[in-house]
Amino acid sequence: MTENNHTPDLVEAEHHTVQDDPKVVTRRWILMGIGALLNGVVGIAVAVPVVRYILGPIRKKGAYNSWISLGSATQFPAGETRLATYENPFNRPWDGETAKVACWVRNIDGQKFQVFAVNCAHLGCPVRWFPQSSLFMCPCHGGAYYQDGSRASGPPERGLFEYDYKLVRGELHIDAGQMPTLANPASPNSPGEQSANGGLTVITNAPGGCGSCQKS
Amino acid sequence: MPEELNDKPADKSLKGKALEAYNWVEQRVQLQAPFEEAMLHPVPKSTASWWYVFGSAAATLLMLQIVTGILLALVYVPSGAEAWKSLQILNHDLPLGWFLRAMHGWGSNFMVAVVLIHMAQVFMFGAYKFPRELTWVVGVIMLLMTLGMAFTGQVLRFDQDSYWGLGIGASITSRIPIIGAPAVQLMLGGPIIAGATLTRFFALHVFVIPGLLLALTGLHIWMVVKLGINEWPMPGRRVNKKTYIREYHELTHKDGLPFMPGALWKDAVFSAAILLAVAVCAAIFGPYGPTGQPDPTIIQTVPKPDFFFLWLYAVLSYLPPALETPFLLTVPAVGIAILLALPFWAGEGEKSWHRRPVAVMVLALVAVSWGTFTHLATFTPWSPVMNAWSGANVPEKMTHNLSPVERQGAVILQSKQCRNCHALGGEGGQRGPALDDVATRLTEDQLIRQVVQGGGNMPAYGKSLTPSEVTALVKFLDTMHPANQPAATDASRAAVAANTPAAVPAPAAQAEPAPAKAQ
């Protein structure tokens, strides 16, 4: 093995490359520079659409939101809080079950509603409703919320994220569409400004409707 | 020149033919010389130590991850609707599919662990000092990529833990000022966690990070070969930029040995042992999950991150709410900046841990903190036990000899989810204090106040309990004290009782019962 080690190195064997005079070299270097420049220009021209493609998911505040029907309001008995599910309007054919979203619907008195995101305001874990103690509890770090969604205790900085809602011909519609976080509250407008999104299209895709309701 | 290529007499034996074939290839690729230079370069004798085997073991594990990863990719479907099902098929339907998943999962655990141990060893031995600063910097970036691989790999499992883990990631990302909202959308690939989220994490886990990690591994090893393996640190042998290269050269040539086989055999043995350990763990403990399917409407779930992120899960539970965002946004950046700046700030001087007490203490502190937080997160004492109220009964002995109203209180304690946070007889949540002897700590009035108003991490129950329920609950809690230790009482209450008009009816009236009691 070792004897045959001294294979000829064709590159470094001897310098028979053209030894140009400085002027010619300068011309070659200019051409080299033009080549590099061309690649730079084409690179930028190609990269700009690529950046646009990568940033594609970023939309303006509220652009993902629409009015989504949770089905008939009569599924949510007065004075109770029930889990409702709907299919997120922005979805892809391969989303499968992840296109579904759950939310808590509280029917305060038969007239007024509150619709909360299941995501804890701390780190997004799903909160559970306990009707016996009228509390929402988070299984992750123990955040707790009262029945009106306000913070009761634990690490969350604020109350539950609340969707704007409206009743349309007996159906409960919520202004939803993206995962609520501290930077993207459930509905882009503050609660109380429920008419602000009146221009949004209504999407009726709540196959589950009220998930925890008893069918009657 | 071409005639030089074929100047050997033909050898008809098998060995001869093999040698001929080798030579044919070698004459064209010409890799033997650089390979020999890398393998046979002299290293200080002291580096042929079992302490120096972790870097090569990490590289071996990276190879294992690439091979097992490619094999899993033959079956895995990176689709929101199918990913979880394809893992079920790998686990249950394909021969040894479960074993490959287990090897990849345990390989990941071992890789993170070995990379961290390697880093700790390099830090302790002062190997980041001149002239190996850039080797350390590249290594820090490789550590971050290894952690990135661990997190993105957990996402690809696309089960309940993965789904809600992404939710935690999005919630953390959303705390970035100004660009929080677009950053979340960029991370999720859309408005919610769904198929688009999975495909981008797939691209990161399978193409982007491994490609960079491989390139950096090549650069890292190249620098190790070119700059030499760090000599065993001796107290008093200080690194000086002017003299170090000459000193190292003397060390390797006067008291050195060729890297292969002098030091390499230990690397080889340890790498084999690590691979065996991965295989044994995989065979015994099996693959990681997947846990429940990633259906966001199934909220009966207790998500938990994988092992190497448990410490963060614990830290996030103990931080005061006001500190959380500043912590999340600054501490990782500051930590990484310190790691990157270390070799430039301390590029010279002592390497030996005998002369670097601060370094030793920092490492010990980091290790103990990490271990403590990981241990805490394994038991999550801050998480409510969501089914304790319906699953863990009030111990029977605590309801003996109770009045009806006290028993009613025990029922209320059970039915109002108190047990989710408060343990009785060792069962139940640990978020609040255990209530076994709560009456020795709080008086009746304090109990009422605590129940009604909450506070100190407890929700106020004033709105969800009627006054009579509060009374019953507090009467029951007031019985929660050991037989030989009386319940706490409010001294002012006794004084008030003694001075109320009802008690005044006379010294005579008080004097009478006293002898009766004495009898």
Side-chain angles (χ1 to χ4, degrees):
Chain A
M1 223 189 270
T2 45
E3 294 153 30
N4 219 44
N5 197 16
H6 303 291
T7 47
D9 193 325
L10 301 177
V11 180
E12 285 191 17
E14 273 191 55
H15 289 279
H16 290 305
T17 45
V18 188
Q19 299 287 324
D20 293 313
D21 65 73
K23 279 177 193 167
V24 179
V25 172
T26 305
R27 190 177 65 92
R28 288 207 168 104
W29 277 110
I30 287 173
L31 289 173
M32 180 67 214
I34 291 172
L37 190 71
L38 269 176
N39 274 279
V41 170
V42 172
I44 290 169
V46 172
V48 168
V50 169
V51 169
R52 182 73 195 85
Y53 169 80
I54 291 174
L55 298 182
I58 298 176
R59 303 255 173 106
K60 273 186 295 192
K61 192 180 177 187
Y64 281 116
N65 280 60
S66 51
W67 285 106
I68 300 162
S69 170
L70 297 179
S72 167
T74 55
Q75 325 167 70
F76 307 103
E80 294 195 18
T81 300
R82 297 275 170 97
L83 189 71
T85 63
Y86 62 91
E87 196 148 304
N88 206 60
F90 183 91
N91 58 37
R92 307 238 186 252
W94 57 89
D95 279 349
E97 55 211 3
T98 54
K100 290 191 279 186
V101 181
C103 58
W104 289 110
V105 177
R106 176 189 181 214
N107 184 337
I108 301 174
D109 54 5
Q111 308 291 317
K112 285 186 188 151
F113 289 81
Q114 278 187 300
V115 185
F116 306 111
V118 290
N119 305 89
C120 181
H122 179 220
L123 289 172
C125 291
V127 296
R128 282 185 232 174
W129 167 247
F130 290 95
Q132 300 85 357
S133 50
S134 302
L135 288 174
F136 293 97
M137 282 189 206
C138 179
C140 286
H141 295 101
Y145 306 84
Y146 295 117
Q147 60 180 352
D148 63 354
S150 57
R151 176 185 177 275
S153 67
E157 296 171 33
R158 48 160 288 164
L160 286 174
F161 298 107
E162 192 172 346
Y163 297 105
D164 289 345
Y165 78 96
K166 63 181 180 185
L167 289 164
V168 180
R169 291 183 296 278
E171 282 191 358
L172 183 63
H173 290 191
I174 60 168
D175 175 10
Q178 65 179 334
M179 182 194 162
T181 54
L182 289 174
N184 300 311
S187 297
N189 302 291
S190 57
E193 292 178 59
Q194 290 178 12
S195 57
N197 273 10
L200 292 175
T201 49
V202 174
I203 293 169
T204 308
N205 53 356
C210 173
S212 59
C213 300
Q214 289 167 348
K215 300 274 182 272
S216 56
Chain B
M1 261 192 235
E3 59 274 14
E4 285 177 43
L5 291 172
N6 293 312
D7 60 351
K8 289 281 165 191
D11 185 344
K12 296 289 181 205
S13 72
L14 191 65
K15 194 184 166 194
K17 278 184 177 166
L19 192 64
E20 204 178 320
Y22 173 84
N23 287 336
W24 188 90
V25 173
E26 169 54 22
Q27 280 163 354
R28 281 152 185 84
V29 297
Q30 301 182 23
L31 279 173
Q32 187 178 322
F35 183 76
E36 277 181 0
E37 190 197 324
M39 280 298 155
L40 300 176
H41 76 285
V43 296
K45 233 179 215 166
S46 55
T47 65
S49 151
W50 288 109
W51 281 107
Y52 282 68
V53 296
F54 300 108
S56 61
T60 307
L61 285 166
L62 177 61
M63 295 306 134
L64 171 76
Q65 291 305 89
I66 288 170
V67 171
T68 52
I70 290 172
L71 291 172
L72 291 177
L74 297 178
V75 174
Y76 180 78
V77 184
S79 140
E82 315 290 343
W84 189 83
K85 291 170 202 161
S86 68
L87 295 186
Q88 295 292 345
I89 285 170
L90 267 166
N91 269 6
H92 301 296
D93 292 355
L94 294 178
L96 290 179
W98 67 271
F99 185 67
L100 270 172
R101 281 204 64 232
M103 284 288 279
H104 199 65
W106 282 98
S108 152
N109 270 359
F110 271 82
M111 185 163 159
V112 177
V114 168
V115 164
L116 286 176
I117 294 170
H118 175 53
M119 192 173 183
Q121 181 265 326
V122 164
F123 178 69
M124 271 296 89
F125 283 58
Y128 56 84
K129 289 176 190 278
F130 177 86
R132 302 181 181 86
E133 302 96 329
L134 194 60
T135 320
W136 167 270
V137 167
V138 170
V140 170
I141 299 169
M142 288 162 72
L143 168 76
L144 297 177
M145 291 187 156
T146 306
L147 293 176
M149 287 302 283
F151 182 75
T152 53
Q154 185 198 329
V155 169
L156 295 200
R157 208 166 59 221
F158 221 53
D159 54 11
Q160 273 177 359
D161 281 356
S162 150
Y163 181 92
W164 296 107
L166 279 167
I168 293 176
S171 299
I172 291 175
T173 309
S174 80
R175 291 164 185 256
I176 304 172
I178 302 165
I179 59 158
V184 170
Q185 291 169 344
L186 195 62
M187 174 193 163
L188 298 183
I192 59 167
I193 303 161
T197 318
L198 180 61
T199 42
R200 58 187 45 221
F201 276 88
F202 180 78
L204 283 174
H205 186 80
V206 174
F207 301 110
V208 181
I209 306 179
L212 287 170
L213 191 53
L214 268 180
L216 289 183
T217 303
L219 180 62
H220 194 74
I221 295 175
W222 171 263
M223 284 193 283
V224 170
V225 169
K226 285 291 155 187
L227 301 173
I229 294 175
N230 187 47
E231 76 284 359
W232 189 276
M234 300 297 281
R237 195 195 285 158
R238 298 170 63 89
V239 177
N240 184 323
K241 283 180 186 173
K242 286 181 186 134
T243 57
Y244 180 79
I245 301 280
R246 182 168 44 78
E247 287 167 5
Y248 184 80
H249 195 259
E250 277 172 21
L251 197 64
T252 51
H253 288 80
K254 286 186 184 153
D255 191 25
L257 45 76
F259 176 62
M260 185 172 79
L264 189 64
W265 76 268
K266 282 177 176 157
D267 288 287
V269 169
F270 187 73
S271 284
I274 281 282
L275 285 184
L276 183 67
V278 172
V280 168
C281 283
I284 293 175
F285 302 110
Y288 282 85
T291 61
Q293 63 206 79
D295 184 338
T297 64
I298 301 173
I299 59 163
Q300 312 293 322
T301 174
V302 183
K304 224 176 182 187
D306 278 1
F307 188 71
F308 284 106
F309 299 99
L310 281 177
W311 66 273
L312 183 63
Y313 190 71
V315 169
L316 289 177
S317 134
Y318 282 113
L319 280 173
L323 270 182
E324 213 153 307
T325 300
F327 177 92
L328 283 168
L329 295 179
T330 55
V331 170
V334 170
I336 293 166
I338 289 175
L339 285 177
L340 293 177
L342 174 70
F344 305 101
W345 180 64
E348 289 186 302
E350 288 282 352
K351 275 183 176 175
S352 171
W353 52 88
H354 294 291
R355 301 278 172 93
R356 291 165 59 221
V358 176
V360 174
M361 280 193 285
V362 166
L363 185 69
L365 182 70
V366 169
V368 169
S369 312
W370 182 82
T372 308
F373 282 122
T374 301
H375 177 81
L376 279 168
T378 311
F379 299 100
T380 60
W382 56 81
S383 293
V385 177
M386 301 297 262
N387 57 2
W389 70 285
S390 56
N393 293 328
V394 174
E396 211 176 305
K397 66 175 167 58
M398 293 183 183
T399 57
H400 283 172
N401 303 322
L402 294 187
S403 70
V405 71
E406 289 162 350
R407 289 195 176 192
Q408 184 60 30
V411 172
I412 290 164
L413 177 96
Q414 198 66 21
S415 65
K416 296 290 180 182
Q417 282 85 35
C418 305
R419 298 290 303 282
N420 288 17
C421 294
H422 294 285
L424 276 184
E427 274 192 288
Q430 293 172 282
R431 181 157 180 78
L435 297 179
D436 298 85
D437 55 357
V438 65
T440 64
R441 298 193 302 270
L442 297 178
T443 66
E444 193 174 341
D445 284 5
Q446 288 170 326
L447 282 169
I448 293 170
R449 195 212 63 80
Q450 186 64 29
V451 167
V452 172
Q453 295 185 9
N457 251 341
M458 177 170 161
Y461 277 79
K463 283 183 198 160
S464 55
L465 291 176
T466 63
S468 59
E469 284 176 323
V470 173
T471 306
L473 178 60
V474 169
K475 289 278 183 216
F476 171 65
L477 291 176
D478 223 19
T479 68
M480 308 292 278
H481 57 87
N484 57 352
Q485 195 178 353
T489 51
D490 203 329
S492 66
R493 268 302 156 110
V496 169
N499 291 321
T500 44
V504 176
Q510 269 187 343
E512 267 177 34
K517 263 186 189 170
Q519 288 164 7

